[in-house]
Amino acid sequence: MIRTESGLYRGFQQNNAKNLELELRIDVNGNRPLMIISGDIFSKTIPKKYLWSFLFTKVKRKVTNNRIELTSKQGKFSSNSNKFSEIIVNIHTKRDQIEAEVNLKRARGTDLQFICIRKSESFRKIIIENDYEEDVKKFPVNKEIEIIAPNNKKIKFSIQRALFDAGIELALGEAGSNAVPIKFAISPEHMHYYWTESELHNAMIHHFSKWEDKPQWIVWMFSASRYEDPSYMGIMFHGLRGNHRQACAVFHKSIAEKKLQLYISVHELGHCFNLQHPWEKTGTSCSSSLSWMNYPWNYVKSKRLTPSKKWFWNAFRFQFDKSELSHIRHGFRNEVIFGGSEFVGGIASKILKNPSQKSSFISKNKSGLQLRLDIPRDKKEFIFGEPIVVELKLFTESNRKIEVHSLKSNSNLMNRCLHPKYEFVQIAICNCEQANQIKNYRPLFKPFLSLNKTKIDKCSPIYESAYIGFGQDGFYFKNSGKYSLCASYRALDGSIIISNILEIEIPEPKEDNKKIAKLLLDDEQGELLYLKGSDSRYLSKGNDAIDKLITQHSTHPFNVYTKFIKGYNLGREFKFFRKDNLIGIRKPKITEAEDLLSSVEELSTKKGEGIDNISLYETMIHHAKIEINAAKIEINAKHKEKAYKLRDRMINIFRNEKKLNNNVMNSIENQIEKILDQEN
């Protein structure tokens, strides 16, 4: 008698042309059964080609003699041209193997019939390459650590065990688990290193031995020391040119507890499977989900109570919730596989589709907050091909203090939680010239954050600017014409704050300008704009195009952006992989960075030209850090003197030329003084 028939089956079509292959997943008993049968259909070719998927729920199970019959009429299909009214699966033992006869029945037309053999008790198998820095204590995916479970019970758990419990077999890739031996290649003054998005992107392509620009069941996990922003504890990031969710990193020196290191590792792998945070699905601020995908400090027992990580750990059973389990085991292949499609949705896109819905959200907004979406001050229009930057302002007209999200790294002036790279803000973009096609702006990286809170009132709004020209979908403004934009912010009380609808027009370019625009409109240049520059040899064509724009079209308005990303990148060190597989450091190129950033600052003081005020503030802060770091490394007083002159110029620009209000100026002055104090 068959003890359990759940698991993965593979087989081939038996009727008609016999040119199809089926990967079948039966989930009716065993660990947390969901009573689902799902499958993926492939062409029987070399190499085989994925065609479509199906999923049947509410499966009925009937046992007769040595045969088990499974049936369901509740089907969902990834292809509209391949729909079936019922699935019937007969399972029996034959020659010491479990065999399934599968019949996909149509209401009209020819049924599909397969014979499949059970291959595994798991539903899917993935391969992971787990690299780690040599300075980071080894934390491989199959290493069990002792943790305290609910009721103070001690258990041993690992990343591999967490996925196995979800029905996923996890195997180490041929490359195994490799050290990234940074410390042997770093000189003493660089021992306090961290990673940037640009370097992580480069590291993935270099160190991920099985990386390909296509969907596959292989993922890269990097156990790193720390990120440049101390608020980051983990991050999931995407491959190039539209292949999503292929890699993640965990920053172990930003996480004190082993239990939390394990938790964040599984959480980031969950994102690679295309799982969302539970509050993103419900549109609320916190969640009662006891899942790997929640934030422990974001857990609430009920709506009446405040979030508590203590309550979370007391009740968490180290598992995904039921809907997440269903997705990982049975989601349509392209929605689960690494490098596949990405979940799309959001409130802002709904408002652009139907602006009348905005009044409903306004009436439900009990937070007292308002959100403003704008283009930079004095900007009349964007040139075709110009990087699109928008400004966000979160404010209230109330005298009372209102709590809002904040990162540990925030200054008083800018609140990074307003940037759409985090989960609190969404920006939807409608191309009015192309049948009102609507896309959500989707960043290349998705971080796990350690959050703070801050308070604002009518005298202390918070601001952020965001480059939204390039993301997971490539360029969002690649065509001339009219665009409509709308943003939403999820407040701490669960209210959804809807911005105004912003109209942007990009005029049709002249032929000469179209040729220049092409120097910025390839994917590599888009990635460089997103990353604020990179030394990666994998983006060399993009860097060549940017250099050509700077040298051959030196007076073109685009060069304020190219000089910004080039100067920003040259002003910081960059980790690169040497031929001996150690990591070398390209030290900051101080003089080149000074020249480029000074040019950006000068261009941006002219009315209606240059970068926006917030980006200019960021540029000058970064410039000041370059000078202070150079003063430390070179022990040279000239850099300290330059930093103090930069402070005076910065205050003059924003107070006298930009005429910012006193509250904002106080924040700017406080922040620049903090930078200068680091030298002492």
Side-chain angles (χ1 to χ4, degrees):
M1 184 66 188
I2 300 169
R3 185 170 60 86
T4 173
E5 65 271 26
S6 290
L8 175 67
Y9 294 68
R10 288 194 181 94
F12 299 96
Q13 185 181 3
Q14 298 301 302
N15 61 335
N16 299 331
K18 299 184 180 181
N19 59 355
L20 298 178
E21 182 177 343
L22 169 63
E23 286 189 4
L24 181 73
R25 293 173 293 276
I26 295 175
D27 185 2
V28 294
N29 44 28
N31 183 33
R32 299 179 71 192
L34 300 176
M35 305 311 291
I36 291 175
I37 298 174
S38 64
D40 304 317
I41 303 291
F42 300 85
S43 64
K44 193 177 172 183
T45 55
I46 300 175
K48 68 181 182 182
K49 180 182 177 183
Y50 167 70
L51 300 176
W52 49 275
S53 299
F54 65 83
L55 182 155
F56 283 87
T57 59
K58 299 181 180 179
V59 173
K60 295 179 180 178
R61 183 175 184 267
K62 182 180 178 182
V63 180
T64 56
N65 298 325
N66 284 332
R67 183 181 292 268
I68 299 170
E69 183 183 73
L70 306 173
T71 60
S72 172
K73 295 182 179 181
Q74 307 292 320
K76 296 179 181 179
F77 310 91
S78 65
S79 168
N80 289 328
S81 60
N82 288 285
K83 292 189 175 182
F84 298 84
S85 58
E86 184 179 11
I87 188 169
I88 301 173
V89 180
N90 284 296
I91 300 172
H92 55 86
T93 302
K94 187 175 182 180
R95 295 175 187 170
D96 297 324
Q97 62 185 13
I98 301 175
E99 186 177 278
E101 298 172 359
V102 183
N103 190 358
L104 285 165
K105 299 182 71 66
R106 298 184 194 269
R108 295 178 182 176
T110 307
D111 300 345
L112 288 181
Q113 296 169 357
F114 299 84
I115 292 181
C116 301
I117 305 300
R118 188 172 186 257
K119 298 294 183 180
S120 170
E121 63 180 304
S122 298
F123 302 101
R124 286 182 162 123
K125 179 180 179 179
I126 69 167
I127 295 173
I128 188 169
E129 282 191 26
N130 178 210
D131 293 341
Y132 61 95
E133 289 183 30
E134 196 163 80
D135 275 359
V136 174
K137 195 170 182 180
K138 192 173 181 179
F139 195 83
V141 296
N142 55 354
K143 178 185 177 182
E144 291 189 336
I145 63 169
E146 190 173 86
I147 52 180
I148 305 298
N151 302 321
N152 289 320
K153 183 180 178 182
K154 290 183 179 180
I155 61 171
K156 289 190 174 182
F157 219 82
S158 67
I159 299 169
Q160 190 174 44
R161 164 77 183 278
L163 292 182
F164 179 79
D165 286 353
I168 304 299
E169 180 184 348
L170 186 154
L172 286 174
E174 292 176 10
S177 189
N178 301 323
V180 181
I182 285 179
K183 68 178 184 180
F184 301 122
I186 298 180
S187 53
E189 67 267 23
H190 294 99
M191 287 307 291
H192 299 292
Y193 55 84
Y194 52 75
W195 290 85
T196 65
E197 288 182 348
S198 181
E199 291 166 337
L200 286 170
H201 169 274
N202 183 52
M204 180 193 76
I205 299 175
H206 180 91
H207 244 264
F208 188 2
S209 67
K210 292 292 184 181
W211 180 82
E212 291 187 55
D213 205 14
K214 67 177 185 181
Q216 54 182 349
W217 293 108
I218 307 175
V219 67
W220 185 63
M221 173 177 274
F222 183 33
S223 299
S225 53
R226 58 174 62 87
Y227 187 73
E228 63 176 332
D229 184 331
S231 302
Y232 283 50
M233 293 189 283
I235 195 167
M236 183 272 290
F237 48 105
H238 300 274
L240 308 181
R241 301 166 189 89
N243 287 304
H244 310 305
R245 306 179 282 101
Q246 293 180 306
C248 60
V250 179
F251 305 109
H252 288 258
K253 291 191 177 180
S254 297
I255 312 166
E257 298 177 84
K258 281 287 183 184
K259 178 171 66 174
L260 191 55
Q261 290 178 3
L262 169 68
Y263 185 88
I264 294 172
S265 299
V266 178
H267 179 101
E268 295 305 333
L269 284 172
H271 283 315
C272 291
F273 280 109
N274 210 6
L275 291 176
Q276 298 174 293
H277 297 127
W279 62 86
E280 290 179 288
K281 294 182 285 187
T282 59
T284 57
S285 179
C286 299
S287 173
S288 59
S289 174
L290 288 164
S291 160
W292 292 107
M293 300 312 297
N294 203 352
Y295 283 1
W297 44 88
N298 220 35
Y299 171 75
V300 287
K301 274 187 173 181
S302 70
K303 292 181 179 179
R304 296 181 180 180
L305 300 173
T306 56
S308 168
K309 66 178 181 181
K310 180 180 178 181
W311 289 341
F312 178 85
W313 290 121
N314 285 342
F316 179 51
R317 297 188 178 278
F318 299 90
Q319 61 187 21
F320 294 100
D321 69 26
K322 189 174 180 180
S323 66
E324 293 162 353
L325 205 62
S326 176
H327 172 81
I328 289 176
R329 293 178 179 180
H330 303 291
F332 295 154
R333 183 179 186 271
N334 273 356
E335 294 176 0
V336 184
I337 191 170
F338 314 128
S341 60
E342 183 85 353
F343 274 130
V344 180
I347 302 300
S349 58
K350 292 180 181 178
I351 299 300
L352 285 181
K353 287 178 183 176
N354 185 4
S356 63
Q357 292 186 34
K358 184 176 178 180
S359 58
S360 170
F361 287 98
I362 292 174
S363 65
K364 294 176 183 176
N365 178 11
K366 307 301 181 184
S367 69
L369 296 170
Q370 297 181 55
L371 182 65
R372 179 77 187 170
L373 182 65
D374 220 333
I375 56 176
R377 184 184 294 183
D378 300 326
K379 192 81 177 175
K380 301 299 182 185
E381 63 183 17
F382 288 95
I383 305 170
F384 177 75
E386 181 177 358
I388 304 295
V389 176
V390 293
E391 293 182 348
L392 296 110
K393 176 184 177 182
L394 187 67
F395 63 100
T396 179
E397 295 178 352
S398 171
N399 288 318
R400 68 184 178 92
K401 295 281 187 180
I402 301 175
E403 277 193 333
V404 297
H405 301 98
S406 177
L407 302 185
K408 287 181 177 179
S409 55
N410 281 340
S411 67
N412 292 330
L413 175 64
M414 291 192 303
N415 189 316
R416 289 297 183 195
C417 284
L418 287 183
H419 199 289
K421 71 165 61 177
Y422 308 117
E423 65 264 23
F424 310 106
V425 168
Q426 289 184 337
I427 297 179
I429 302 164
C430 176
N431 186 334
C432 304
E433 309 292 327
Q434 295 191 352
N436 289 330
Q437 182 188 64
I438 297 174
K439 290 183 177 181
N440 281 334
Y441 173 74
R442 300 187 296 162
L444 297 179
F445 293 76
K446 189 181 185 83
F448 188 112
L449 301 168
S450 175
L451 295 171
N452 286 343
K453 296 176 184 177
T454 190
K455 292 182 179 181
I456 66 171
D457 58 25
K458 69 177 182 180
C459 296
S460 57
I462 51 178
Y463 303 87
E464 177 61 298
S465 72
Y467 166 62
I468 59 168
F470 188 87
Q472 290 179 39
D473 301 298
F475 284 96
Y476 291 88
F477 302 89
K478 201 164 187 175
N479 300 304
S480 58
K482 293 182 179 179
Y483 292 84
S484 297
L485 286 74
C486 183
S488 64
Y489 170 76
R490 179 172 50 79
L492 278 167
D493 70 348
S495 298
I496 304 297
I497 320 301
I498 306 297
S499 77
N500 55 300
I501 294 178
L502 175 65
E503 306 288 344
I504 288 178
E505 185 165 2
I506 302 174
E508 183 68 28
K510 295 179 180 178
E511 197 58 37
D512 288 349
N513 283 336
K514 190 178 287 188
K515 290 179 181 178
I516 295 173
K518 285 183 178 179
L519 291 173
L520 274 188
L521 287 178
D522 282 334
D523 283 346
E524 287 192 15
Q525 291 90 301
E527 287 155 17
L528 288 166
L529 286 163
Y530 182 97
L531 297 168
K532 296 177 185 171
S534 172
D535 285 20
S536 174
R537 69 174 185 268
Y538 306 105
L539 297 176
S540 58
K541 290 181 180 178
N543 273 318
D544 289 345
I546 284 171
D547 288 340
K548 183 177 180 180
L549 186 55
I550 292 174
T551 55
Q552 296 185 15
H553 306 278
S554 58
T555 60
H556 196 279
F558 286 177
N559 277 322
V560 73
Y561 302 102
T562 57
K563 288 179 178 180
F564 167 69
I565 63 169
K566 194 172 179 66
Y568 197 99
N569 183 57
L570 291 176
R572 61 188 178 186
E573 59 188 38
F574 189 88
K575 302 174 191 64
F576 62 91
F577 291 86
R578 306 189 321 197
K579 290 182 179 179
D580 57 8
N581 218 30
L582 297 181
I583 290 186
I585 297 288
R586 188 269 293 152
K587 294 183 179 181
K589 296 184 178 181
I590 307 298
T591 303
E592 292 177 60
E594 286 174 339
D595 291 343
L596 288 163
L597 295 180
S598 294
S599 177
V600 172
E601 292 157 12
E602 183 180 350
L603 288 168
S604 300
T605 58
K606 299 175 183 177
K607 188 174 182 180
E609 296 184 24
I611 57 178
D612 63 282
N613 286 350
I614 297 174
S615 296
L616 178 59
Y617 162 84
E618 184 181 4
T619 301
M620 300 187 85
I621 287 291
H622 185 63
H623 191 169
K625 288 179 179 178
I626 291 170
E627 301 295 355
I628 291 299
N629 289 335
K632 288 179 181 178
I633 294 171
E634 298 179 12
I635 316 177
N636 192 327
K638 72 174 184 179
H639 291 294
K640 181 179 178 181
E641 184 180 335
K642 285 182 179 180
Y644 279 90
K645 286 183 178 179
L646 182 63
R647 174 198 61 185
D648 296 339
R649 187 165 78 251
M650 185 177 183
I651 292 172
N652 179 60
I653 287 172
F654 286 114
R655 185 182 295 281
N656 299 323
E657 297 183 28
K658 301 289 185 179
K659 300 190 182 301
L660 302 187
N661 64 52
N662 287 334
N663 186 58
V664 173
M665 284 308 306
N666 288 337
S667 296
I668 289 174
E669 290 174 15
N670 288 338
Q671 190 65 18
I672 188 67
E673 291 299 337
K674 285 181 183 178
I675 302 298
L676 297 178
D677 286 345
Q678 292 176 12
E679 196 276 333
N680 299 319

